[in-house]
Amino acid sequence: MILRLQEMIRVIRSARTQGEERGIIQRECADIRAQFRQGDNGERSHSLAKLLYVHMLGYPAHFGQMECVRLIASTRYSEKRIGYLGAMMLLDENQDASLLITNSIKNDLSHNSQYVQSLALCTLACMGSAEMCRDLAPEIERLLRASNSYIKKKATLCAVHIIRKVPELAELFTPSARSLLSEKNHGVLHGAVVLITELCEHNPGTLDQFRKAVPELVQIMKGLVTSSYSPEHNVAGISDPFLQVRILRLLRILGHNNDTASDAMNDLLAQVATNTDSSKTAGSAVLYETVLTIMDINSESGLRVLAVNILGRFLLNNDRNIRYISMTSLQKIVQTDHNAVQRHRGTIVDCLKDQDTSVKRRALELSLALVSAVNIRSMMKELLIFLSTCPPELRSHTTSGIFNAAERYSPSKRWHIDTILHVLTTAGGDVRDETVPNLIQLITTASELHCYTVHKLYRALVKDISQQSLVQVACWCIGEYGDLLLKGECEEIEPVQVTEDDVLDALETVLQSHMSSPATRGFALTATMKLSTRITDNVDRIRSIVSIYGSCIDLELQQRAVEYNALFKKYDHMRAAVLERMPVMDKNSPGHTNGDTSGEIKEPDPSKPKPVEAGLLSEPASQCYETYLFQINAVHLNFLLIKESWTKNVSWFPQKYKAEMQKRCVYVHVVLTETVYEKNGLSLKIQCDKQTETEVTVTLIGSNSAQNDITNFTLQAAVPKVCTCSTFKLSPVLAYTSSRYSFQQPSGHRSQHSHCSQILFLQ
């Protein structure tokens, strides 16, 4: 039994299960195939209509493609209509069957019925391939000059499709496009504006030609703005908002970087901005396009302020979509019209409380862009309140923005430190890695605030040890300025009497906590060790704490503990000097960015000789303090490689430590072959040539592939007391040099690190 289309739809909808539906579809598809095989029996169009419904449900319908071709060639309008509809749904430009309808479309474009012509135009505009567009473009250009507005409208949209597919055919439609602007029909006008926009975007050479039409476009737009109520084109009280939006977009393209065209449309834009009702969505769409046009052309300053005020009104709209696009637009113009956007700062900050996360994100970005030296305190207060309640996915972005703003506009160092500590207390787990060294650098430079800072950090540490970044900074400050904490004298903050046991208890809590990361434990252990020179009654307790971690499973922590134990035992006479306070670190020292990610690395002048550094490698700021703390306490240096001029780069060390740090620039534990330095054309390798019970022969192989010779190159070697250096040779100019060193080792003694191959570079 063959079902009609309406009945088939009813039966399919009444199916109770997916399997029942598939069974009905299979039976109907079998009947449709049988109908197609029977030839012209008057039912082909009905069968294809049913197949199209099956296709809409997602079932295969490819076997109907050839039937579409046959129906398109039919002389009956009812069959031709279903054939073209099937071609638009079942065919695309990548299928060979689409080429079979090219001749039928060409014939139908010359048909005496406008409805048949419209079917061909719609099909070509929907699925026409590049080959079809090239073949049929002259026919479309001919129809653009037709007297029938119905055909002109469809031919215009078909021309837009051809230009997108074959941009080189744009010149064919340029003359006809200008003449279409004189049409009174709204549909033709809309198509003409879209066509001219497409021509200007694909062929910038036509801009000068179409800029002559700006007065004509302005008159059309004025007619739309001032026209009386027209039910045919009215949408919520706005006369043809779709055409208005299209005209504004075209004016934006024509007025970009052109003073003459911009001056011709300034009055119109002011009229649209003041007379359009923004209470309806259609009016808001027109006003939004007006704002974009004002900002993109060479408009007057007063007009730009008016545009910003329109966006400010959008921020008060109940529709979140309108608020979102308003803030997106303000974000783009905040750099050029900063003062105008500042007037709406309060409204923007209120958007931080919106329930929608996307609106919050846009409000956050815009709020950070509005921060200046004038409003830093008030804006930072709002941002810190937002940080305490913002979604987890926005915390990282919020903390980064607060740090950058505080770095640029902080009114004082104390305010800067308090702000960062507040962020670390609230969202310490969401800050960037360089936050800790940057804050440490800030604290070291504020010598008058050391007492205040260490007291505040100690209180924060006792209260909460879950924020790792805060704990690391607190441990560092307690280790450096623990003596100020124990004195209990602080003018900036209410002093709290803290005993040595209290401080050590706090550090030991950090060391033993499961929340502490290995890096945090390293900070705490180093701070504990440094307190051994700042307190008097609990040195034995510190020695006991340090010795416990000599067998820690974490290698970094274990190595620190072993070295610190060596300082207590073998090198106790050096402990006080080694554990003195860290010197003030220069903000502009190599590798230190202080959180500024906007800076650019300047390329060296190619006309000047490039200096080659032999023993100094750049490190990220986040490693600088850790490297220093680790290196300054190293007591088992096997091999030292230094550079004579390195003292110029360590001005931030105390004078009495410069000579010591010269010797500790780079140390290498040698085994087999290690590349110790490779940069700027200079390559240094250390190779163990021979190793016996009493002698180790080490070869330094250096090669220079740079354009310039390396001069003033100094190499020094240092060995443990149990070893002696018997040979030392080095060529003064390193073009290709091999120098040998022999280390005599007494029988029965071996270096405990003879099989270690770690390399550590220190800035």
Side-chain angles (χ1 to χ4, degrees):
M1 177 181 178
I2 300 176
L3 300 177
R4 307 296 293 180
L5 175 61
Q6 294 83 353
E7 189 174 352
M8 185 191 74
I9 295 174
R10 182 184 59 79
V11 172
I12 291 175
R13 288 181 176 177
S14 63
R16 297 182 178 181
T17 63
Q18 188 71 26
E20 185 179 350
E21 178 183 298
R22 284 196 298 268
I24 297 172
I25 296 295
Q26 289 174 0
R27 289 193 300 271
E28 288 300 319
C29 286
D31 292 338
I32 291 171
R33 285 190 179 93
Q35 290 291 329
F36 288 164
R37 286 193 295 267
Q38 290 179 8
D40 189 4
N41 57 2
E43 296 293 331
R44 290 187 305 170
S45 60
H46 297 290
S47 299
L48 183 59
K50 294 197 293 184
L51 183 62
L52 295 181
Y53 180 76
V54 171
H55 172 73
M56 292 170 59
L57 295 178
Y59 292 93
H62 57 279
F63 58 88
Q65 293 175 355
M66 292 307 299
E67 193 64 24
C68 294
V69 176
R70 297 189 189 98
L71 290 178
I72 288 174
S74 174
T75 57
R76 285 184 264 185
Y77 177 76
S78 59
E79 293 183 350
K80 191 180 290 289
R81 182 182 60 177
I82 295 296
Y84 275 121
L85 178 61
M88 287 186 278
M89 294 180 63
L90 302 180
L91 297 178
D92 59 56
E93 60 182 66
N94 298 321
Q95 295 173 345
D96 295 336
S98 63
L99 299 177
L100 300 177
I101 65 173
T102 303
N103 190 58
S104 297
I105 292 177
K106 184 175 181 179
N107 293 333
D108 288 339
L109 289 175
S110 301
H111 201 277
N112 55 8
S113 171
Q114 65 175 359
Y115 301 109
V116 174
Q117 287 179 318
S118 68
L119 289 176
L121 289 170
C122 290
T123 303
L124 179 60
C126 179
M127 46 77 65
S129 62
E131 291 79 6
M132 294 174 64
C133 291
R134 289 189 181 94
D135 294 338
L136 300 176
E139 297 294 326
I140 304 303
E141 196 275 334
R142 176 180 61 82
L143 292 176
L144 287 175
R145 300 193 301 270
S147 59
N148 191 330
S149 299
Y150 180 76
I151 297 300
K152 274 187 180 181
K153 176 179 66 175
K154 294 183 179 294
T156 303
L157 298 178
C158 192
V160 172
H161 175 78
I162 293 175
I163 294 172
R164 290 173 180 172
K165 283 293 180 183
V166 192
E168 57 267 24
L169 294 177
E171 295 181 359
L172 179 64
F173 303 102
T174 301
S176 302
R178 173 69 187 276
S179 63
L180 292 174
L181 292 177
S182 59
E183 290 286 335
K184 301 300 182 182
N185 183 278
H186 278 237
V188 178
L189 268 178
H190 187 279
V193 173
V194 174
L195 177 59
I196 295 174
T197 303
E198 205 70 31
L199 288 169
C200 292
E201 290 178 346
H202 284 84
N203 187 10
T206 61
L207 284 173
D208 292 335
Q209 180 177 349
F210 286 114
R211 281 188 177 119
K212 299 176 183 178
V214 168
E216 193 172 352
L217 290 169
V218 169
Q219 289 301 321
I220 295 173
M221 188 67 185
K222 282 185 177 180
L224 293 172
V225 174
T226 59
S227 64
S228 57
Y229 178 75
S230 175
E232 185 179 359
H233 307 110
N234 183 277
V235 178
I238 307 297
S239 178
D240 204 342
F242 300 100
L243 180 57
Q244 290 192 44
V245 167
R246 287 293 184 180
I247 293 176
L248 289 169
R249 289 181 183 176
L250 179 56
L251 290 176
R252 181 161 73 246
I253 295 174
L254 298 176
H256 184 67
N257 293 333
N258 187 275
D259 293 333
T260 304
S262 298
D263 292 340
M265 60 184 77
N266 275 334
D267 292 341
L268 168 69
L269 295 174
Q271 185 177 2
V272 175
T274 54
N275 294 341
T276 304
D277 183 13
S278 62
S279 61
K280 303 295 184 180
T281 303
S284 298
V286 174
L287 284 175
Y288 179 66
E289 289 296 332
T290 304
V291 169
L292 295 182
T293 303
I294 291 172
M295 292 304 176
D296 206 36
I297 67 173
N298 300 337
S299 56
E300 301 172 351
S301 59
L303 200 57
R304 297 179 71 87
V305 173
L306 177 60
V308 174
N309 291 338
I310 292 174
L311 294 176
R313 292 205 307 270
F314 282 173
L315 293 175
L316 301 174
N317 199 296
N318 293 328
D319 192 334
R320 288 174 179 167
N321 295 322
I322 295 178
R323 293 204 301 272
Y324 181 86
I325 63 171
S326 173
M327 285 185 287
T328 302
S329 302
L330 290 172
Q331 181 73 24
K332 297 177 181 178
I333 64 178
V334 67
Q335 300 301 329
T336 56
D337 297 272
H338 191 269
N339 292 332
V341 180
Q342 280 283 2
R343 298 190 184 99
H344 306 281
R345 188 175 69 238
T347 309
I348 295 169
V349 170
D350 288 340
C351 290
L352 290 172
K353 304 172 185 177
D354 197 281
Q355 298 298 320
D356 190 271
T357 304
S358 59
V359 174
K360 283 185 178 181
R361 186 184 299 275
R362 278 286 177 261
L364 173 62
E365 294 172 353
L366 192 53
S367 298
L368 293 173
L370 290 176
V371 176
S372 64
V374 177
N375 60 27
I376 180 65
R377 292 183 182 273
S378 59
M379 286 297 294
M380 198 58 65
K381 181 180 178 181
E382 297 291 343
L383 290 171
L384 291 175
I385 293 174
F386 172 73
L387 178 63
S388 61
T389 58
C390 72
E393 60 268 21
L394 296 181
R395 284 193 175 186
S396 178
H397 184 43
T398 306
T399 56
S400 299
I402 291 175
F403 288 156
N404 290 334
E407 173 69 22
R408 294 180 62 186
Y409 305 113
S410 62
S412 64
K413 287 187 176 180
R414 175 171 175 174
W415 181 91
H416 192 179
I417 293 173
D418 287 342
T419 301
I420 297 181
L421 291 182
H422 189 287
V423 173
L424 293 180
T425 304
T426 306
D430 299 292
V431 299
R432 297 178 300 185
D433 293 339
E434 64 266 24
T435 300
V436 172
N438 289 344
L439 179 54
I440 289 175
Q441 185 273 331
L442 177 63
I443 293 172
T444 58
T445 57
S447 56
E448 70 280 4
L449 297 174
H450 287 170
C451 184
Y452 167 78
T453 305
V454 72
H455 274 82
K456 191 162 187 176
L457 282 169
Y458 173 76
R459 294 180 181 182
L461 179 66
V462 173
K463 186 177 180 181
D464 181 20
I465 62 171
S466 61
Q467 306 290 352
Q468 295 298 290
S469 299
L470 178 66
V471 174
Q472 291 174 10
V473 177
C475 290
W476 188 91
C477 282
I478 291 173
E480 294 297 316
Y481 314 118
D483 52 335
L484 300 178
L485 177 63
L486 295 173
K487 287 181 181 178
E489 300 174 0
C490 185
E491 298 178 358
E492 293 85 0
I493 193 173
E494 182 180 353
V496 177
Q497 192 62 39
V498 181
T499 64
E500 296 178 0
D501 288 327
D502 294 336
V503 177
L504 292 177
D505 288 342
L507 293 176
E508 200 166 3
T509 301
V510 174
L511 285 169
Q512 297 173 357
S513 174
H514 68 280
M515 294 184 291
S516 299
S517 64
T520 303
R521 288 191 174 95
F523 273 91
L525 186 63
T526 301
T528 304
M529 184 64 187
K530 285 209 165 190
L531 286 176
S532 66
T533 62
R534 292 156 175 73
I535 64 178
T536 56
D537 299 335
N538 286 275
V539 177
D540 291 337
R541 181 181 176 184
I542 294 175
R543 184 184 290 110
S544 175
I545 294 173
V546 170
S547 62
I548 292 174
Y549 290 91
S551 57
C552 180
I553 192 173
D554 183 80
L555 295 181
E556 171 76 10
L557 209 59
Q558 182 189 89
Q559 189 168 1
R560 287 179 185 237
V562 170
E563 292 166 356
Y564 295 158
N565 277 323
L567 278 178
F568 272 122
K569 298 175 182 178
K570 203 169 185 180
Y571 302 95
D572 192 62
H573 60 285
M574 297 173 55
R575 181 162 55 86
V578 168
L579 299 177
E580 281 194 359
R581 285 185 184 176
M582 283 282 288
V584 177
M585 184 178 179
D586 185 8
K587 178 179 179 180
N588 298 320
S589 60
H592 189 81
T593 62
N594 205 24
D596 186 7
T597 59
S598 60
E600 296 182 356
I601 300 175
K602 297 182 178 180
E603 294 292 335
D605 189 352
S607 62
K608 298 181 181 179
K610 297 180 180 179
V612 182
E613 298 182 359
L616 189 63
L617 291 181
S618 295
E619 279 189 296
S622 60
Q623 298 177 11
C624 184
Y625 281 94
E626 286 295 297
T627 302
Y628 175 73
L629 290 175
F630 186 88
Q631 175 65 31
I632 195 67
N633 295 309
V635 295
H636 50 274
L637 307 182
N638 292 62
F639 195 87
L640 293 169
L641 176 66
I642 71 167
K643 179 175 179 288
E644 180 179 358
S645 61
W646 188 77
T647 53
K648 299 177 182 178
N649 299 318
V650 291
S651 58
W652 49 279
F653 284 109
Q655 187 66 31
K656 60 182 179 180
Y657 285 147
K658 283 187 178 181
E660 180 69 14
M661 292 308 298
Q662 263 190 307
K663 299 177 182 179
R664 298 169 182 251
C665 176
V666 178
Y667 74 84
V668 183
H669 297 169
V670 182
V671 58
L672 299 179
T673 302
E674 289 284 350
T675 300
V676 296
Y677 185 78
E678 190 169 5
K679 186 178 180 183
N680 298 331
L682 174 63
S683 177
L684 298 178
K685 295 183 179 180
I686 291 183
Q687 179 178 348
C688 181
D689 293 336
K690 185 179 180 182
Q691 187 169 4
T692 66
E693 290 292 325
T694 60
E695 183 179 89
V696 177
T697 302
V698 178
T699 302
L700 171 68
I701 303 174
S703 62
N704 177 22
S705 60
Q707 297 178 355
N708 305 302
D709 292 338
I710 301 174
T711 58
N712 298 326
F713 184 87
T714 303
L715 182 69
Q716 296 183 6
V719 298
K721 292 181 179 180
V722 296
C723 303
T724 59
C725 179
S726 62
T727 307
F728 186 93
K729 297 178 182 179
L730 180 65
S731 172
V733 178
L734 189 61
Y736 181 84
T737 304
S738 178
S739 301
R740 295 183 174 274
Y741 307 83
S742 295
F743 298 87
Q744 300 295 336
Q745 192 171 18
S747 178
H749 292 81
R750 282 184 177 270
S751 173
Q752 61 177 347
H753 293 279
S754 59
H755 296 286
C756 180
S757 59
Q758 293 183 350
I759 301 176
L760 179 62
F761 296 91
L762 173 66
Q763 283 186 301

